[in-house]
């Protein structure tokens, strides 16, 4: 078990004073990486670093504010031959009143990569389970996430550009893109991007999409499984694109795709590195939920879940 704590400062928050969801995601990933790397280096052999491959649905249960202290706890709950599951919880404490609240919880999957050869996946030391039932439940979660990662990897799609002069409250109106050059501070000892850095960029883009659609204060409510398909190396250019895929009267679902290209090796082309769906809600000045503007149907873009999604069709029946 690993734990860490940090006081939330103004540079951790958005303009409304809520701690940025991307910062929470980054703290969660760092905690998972620490406990995973420690565990995988308890046996003889090459030293290794735990690399993030998937984050299960992440729930933002309570907002965290400037001045509160976050307590991040990570625990390994399942191991297979080449991967491990880490359960992470984030508690927020008001140090003036002593009040504590559960702010966030998530499950992350890592694989140990050799420091000598990043493409070499090391074996994971087994953990001791409290019961056979606990081990079996972990095995079922492992098999489920493995299948979902393979299915998601097999569904790459192109990011369609926004149409010129899009109508307000359409997909094209709020679609947003961030371009980031990967530097040394973004990377692990392997010179590959930290998973938490990527998730923070993704949350920022999703937040811009949500804010453009609502024109209000918005916060992350949850994140569907984040799948890391391929590594991102130092010196690459990362293009993070977010677009609305579904809107209810209370929330917005935003697909975020991370595509990568190399400046020095342009002939290799662009590839899809990460994909996820974020859910945001709109808040008033008292942090109470506001109705979300309806999504207007414009030009339907080619994607598994874009513009007029299946859920939108169901709600319109």
């Amino acid at each position: 078990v690993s734990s860490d704590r940090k006081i939330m400062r103004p540079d951790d928050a958005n303009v409304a004073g809520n701690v940025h969801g991307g910062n929470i995601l980054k703290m969660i990933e760092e905690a998972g990486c620490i406990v995973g790397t420690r565990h995988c280096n308890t046996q003889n052999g090459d030293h290794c670093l735990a690399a993030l491959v998937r984050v299960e649905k992440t729930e933002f249960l309570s907002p965290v504010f400037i001045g509160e202290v976050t307590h991040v706890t990570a625990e390994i709950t399942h191991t297979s031959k080449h991967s491990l599951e880490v359960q992470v919880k984030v508690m927020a404490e008001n140090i003036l009143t002593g009040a504590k609240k559960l702010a966030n919880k998530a499950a992350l999957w890592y694989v140990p990569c050799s420091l000598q050869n990043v493409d070499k996946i090391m074996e994971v030391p087994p953990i001791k389970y409290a019961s056979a039932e606990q081990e079996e439940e972990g095995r079922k979660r492992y098999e489920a996430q493995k299948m979902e990662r393979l299915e998601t990897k097999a569904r790459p799609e192109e990011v369609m550009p926004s149409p010129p002069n899009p109508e307000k409250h359409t997909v094209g109106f709020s679609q947003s893109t961030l371009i980031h050059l990967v530097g040394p501070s973004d990377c692990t000892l392997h010179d590959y991007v930290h998973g938490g850095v990527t998730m923070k960029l993704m949350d920022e883009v999703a937040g811009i999409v949500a804010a453009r659609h609502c024109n209000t204060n918005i916060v992350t409510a949850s994140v569907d499984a984040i799948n890391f398909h391929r590594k991102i190396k130092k010196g690459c250019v990362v293009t993070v694109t977010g677009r609305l895929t579904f809107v209810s009267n209370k929330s917005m679902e935003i697909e975020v795709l991370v595509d990568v290209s190399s400046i020095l090796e342009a002939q290799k082309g662009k590839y899809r590195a990460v994909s996820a769906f974020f859910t945001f809600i709109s808040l008033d000045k008292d942090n109470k939920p506001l109705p979300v503007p309806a999504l207007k149907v414009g030009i339907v873009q080619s994607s598994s879940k874009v513009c007029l999604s299946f859920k939108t069709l169901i709600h319109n029946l």
Side-chain angles (χ1 to χ4, degrees), residues 2-4 26-37 72-75 86 88 110:
S2 175
S3 61
D4 191 17
K26 189 170 183 289
M27 286 189 292
I28 287 173
E29 196 280 327
E30 288 174 348
C33 179
I34 290 169
V35 72
T37 299
V72 185
T73 305
E75 179 182 7
V86 181
V88 182
Y110 291 84

Side-chain angles (χ1 to χ4, degrees), residues 152-194:
T152 307
K153 191 174 183 179
R155 297 197 309 264
E157 67 266 353
E158 291 297 317
V159 176
M160 301 295 289
S162 297
N165 303 315
E167 184 183 356
K168 192 174 183 180
H169 295 147
T170 60
V171 173
F173 180 80
S174 58
Q175 180 169 314
S176 302
T177 299
L178 181 152
I179 299 175
H180 178 74
L181 177 63
V182 177
S185 63
D186 298 321
C187 297
T188 67
L189 298 174
H190 283 124
D191 284 339
Y192 287 93
V193 175
H194 279 286

Side-chain angles (χ1 to χ4, degrees), residues 23 31 68 115 149 169-170 225 244 248 258:
N23 282 347
E68 292 185 330
L115 289 180
R149 275 200 297 128
H169 295 147
T170 60
L244 280 166
S248 72
V258 179

Side-chain angles (χ1 to χ4, degrees), residues 3 15 81 150 197-198 200 208 210 221 241-242 277 302 304:
S3 61
V15 293
K81 185 176 181 180
L150 290 173
V197 170
T198 305
K200 186 174 185 295
I208 292 170
T241 303
F277 287 89
S302 60
S304 58

Side-chain angles (χ1 to χ4, degrees), residues 33-51 76 79-84 110-113 122-125:
C33 179
I34 290 169
V35 72
T37 299
R38 279 177 178 165
H39 177 75
C40 292
N41 284 283
T42 55
Q43 59 186 2
N44 295 327
D46 291 350
H47 289 302
C48 59
L49 186 71
I76 297 171
T79 56
S80 68
K81 185 176 181 180
H82 294 294
S83 67
L84 62 157
Y110 291 84
V111 296
C113 298
M122 308 291 290
E123 290 193 10
V124 177

Side-chain angles (χ1 to χ4, degrees), residues 6 22 41 62-63 73 78 83 90 94 97 101 110 116 160 163 169 184 216 228 231 242 248 256 258 290 309 313:
K6 178 184 176 183
N41 284 283
S62 299
T73 305
H78 183 74
S83 67
V90 180
N94 183 321
T97 65
K101 58 189 176 185
Y110 291 84
Q116 303 299 318
M160 301 295 289
H169 295 147
T216 61
F228 291 77
K231 300 182 181 72
S248 72
V256 184
V258 179
L290 285 171
S309 70
L313 286 169

Side-chain angles (χ1 to χ4, degrees), residues 55-91:
V55 182
E56 300 293 352
K57 180 164 183 168
T58 307
E59 299 177 87
F60 290 77
L61 303 172
S62 299
V64 182
F65 301 104
I66 295 171
E68 292 185 330
V69 173
T70 55
H71 302 258
V72 185
T73 305
E75 179 182 7
I76 297 171
T77 49
H78 183 74
T79 56
S80 68
K81 185 176 181 180
H82 294 294
S83 67
L84 62 157
E85 178 191 52
V86 181
Q87 300 272 359
V88 182
K89 290 184 179 180
V90 180
M91 299 292 298

